[in-house]
Amino acid sequence: MDFIHLEEIDSTNKYAKENITQIPDGTVVYADKQTAGRGRLNRKWDYTGCDNIYASIVLKPSKRYKDCYSNLTQLLCLVLCQTFEEYGITPKIKWPNDIQINKKKISGILAEAVMGEGELKGIVLGFGINLNTTQDILDKINQPATSLNIEIGKTVDKKEFLNKLTEKFCLLYNKFLEDGFLLIKDDYIRRAGFLKQEVTVRLPDKDTCGIAEGVTDTGALILKDKNNKEQILLIGDIL
Ligand code: BTN
């Protein structure tokens, strides 16, 4: 993968979307400082120092949107977990693509598709990673959070982490476009921290509660409500 390194930007996702035509397929845009980072559910993504990762992968798999593109966040989520594991920690996935350690968030993903003239211009897979942060900065985030340096007790080289991550992503990417979520289902489920638990899921129009029973072959969440009625959720976020 090629890299575009920015010293400061409002949001790497916004930058990637605005420059989608010029940015080649398979490019990683990353910034030392992000001043208006955005997260899922209209949240913001805080800037927590220049030794953390604020990055967006630009992908241009085809001009027509295919269903499996919505699972690319789960592919990235798995690859992030595998990279963290190389540093000796055991992260857990919160469906669909949050990564936690002991219920504290260490990384989040925001995917955006860019459409234009009736075709798919590209997909922007944005991710933020708490790589090297201090506890007092983390305490100011509005949800429990941790950082890789705190978990392993030493500073982590940002470029080395990004290289490991993107190498792993590339190894799986082409096959993933053919096979979809099924390619990674077992590896994803092995790291799932939400199964058989009571969860609340935020849907676009409401919240819904139930027991997370499983994940389908297409990456959807199987939720069973108190009347044992099953719901298959294609979009949403476990809160
Ligand atoms: C989330 O967990 O809510 C997703 C957070 C995604 C944050 C990253 S940081 C780099 C990229 N640029 C953004 O504005 N957001 C994503």
Side-chain angles (χ1 to χ4, degrees):
M1 279 184 160
D2 290 326
F3 289 87
I4 296 177
H5 175 224
L6 307 168
E7 277 176 11
E8 183 175 330
I9 197 75
D10 46 3
S11 152
T12 57
N13 265 34
K14 184 163 171 275
Y15 175 91
K17 286 195 296 173
E18 285 171 358
N19 296 285
I20 197 88
T21 330
Q22 300 91 282
I23 301 177
D25 179 28
T27 302
V28 183
V29 179
Y30 71 106
D32 291 337
K33 182 167 183 184
Q34 197 175 238
T35 53
R38 292 176 307 107
R40 287 164 72 90
L41 306 171
N42 283 326
R43 292 188 184 132
K44 62 185 175 60
W45 184 261
D46 289 325
Y47 171 68
T48 50
C50 64
D51 294 320
N52 298 294
I53 293 179
Y54 316 92
S56 302
I57 303 177
V58 173
L59 300 169
K60 299 181 174 177
S62 68
K63 291 197 186 314
R64 199 174 53 81
Y65 193 89
K66 297 188 186 154
D67 285 346
C68 79
Y69 299 166
S70 62
N71 300 110
L72 280 165
T73 60
Q74 287 164 311
L75 172 66
L76 179 58
C77 182
L78 171 67
V79 167
L80 274 161
C81 287
Q82 291 170 337
T83 311
F84 284 126
E85 286 160 10
E86 280 199 21
Y87 291 81
I89 59 168
T90 312
K92 290 280 175 209
I93 298 173
K94 191 168 76 149
W95 185 87
N97 54 40
D98 261 3
I99 302 177
Q100 298 183 323
I101 292 167
N102 299 324
K103 303 273 176 207
K104 292 185 230 168
K105 185 152 169 166
I106 191 164
S107 177
I109 299 171
L110 175 67
E112 299 182 84
V114 185
M115 305 295 296
E117 294 149 346
E119 60 182 40
L120 177 66
K121 297 283 176 201
I123 294 167
V124 175
L125 278 185
F127 57 101
I129 308 174
N130 298 330
L131 210 63
N132 297 292
T133 317
T134 58
Q135 191 57 53
D136 56 313
I137 292 179
L138 290 173
D139 289 343
K140 293 189 187 102
I141 298 177
N142 57 5
Q143 58 179 318
T146 189
S147 179
L148 186 53
N149 66 313
I150 291 175
E151 296 297 325
I152 64 172
K154 59 176 182 224
T155 307
V156 182
D157 186 286
K158 183 161 78 170
K159 195 65 201 322
E160 187 181 284
F161 190 98
L162 268 178
N163 286 340
K164 284 181 194 285
L165 173 72
T166 49
E167 262 170 41
K168 289 186 200 307
F169 187 87
C170 288
L171 280 177
L172 290 172
Y173 179 62
N174 286 327
K175 188 98 176 76
F176 183 86
L177 292 182
E178 285 169 23
D179 297 0
F181 182 74
L182 206 47
L183 176 74
I184 60 162
K185 183 180 176 189
D186 291 348
D187 289 325
Y188 179 92
I189 285 181
R190 207 171 303 128
R191 292 166 176 86
F194 53 86
L195 292 177
K196 309 295 168 207
Q197 292 183 21
E198 186 161 2
V199 295
T200 301
V201 183
R202 176 140 303 161
L203 306 177
D205 52 337
K206 59 171 186 175
D207 291 352
T208 183
C209 296
I211 305 288
E213 282 294 335
V215 176
T216 68
D217 288 354
T218 55
L221 179 68
I222 307 167
L223 197 70
K224 209 174 242 181
D225 71 13
K226 52 182 183 303
N227 304 317
N228 263 347
K229 201 170 149 265
E230 236 173 54
Q231 268 184 292
I232 307 288
L233 303 179
L234 297 167
I235 49 165
D237 283 272
I238 292 183
L239 295 179

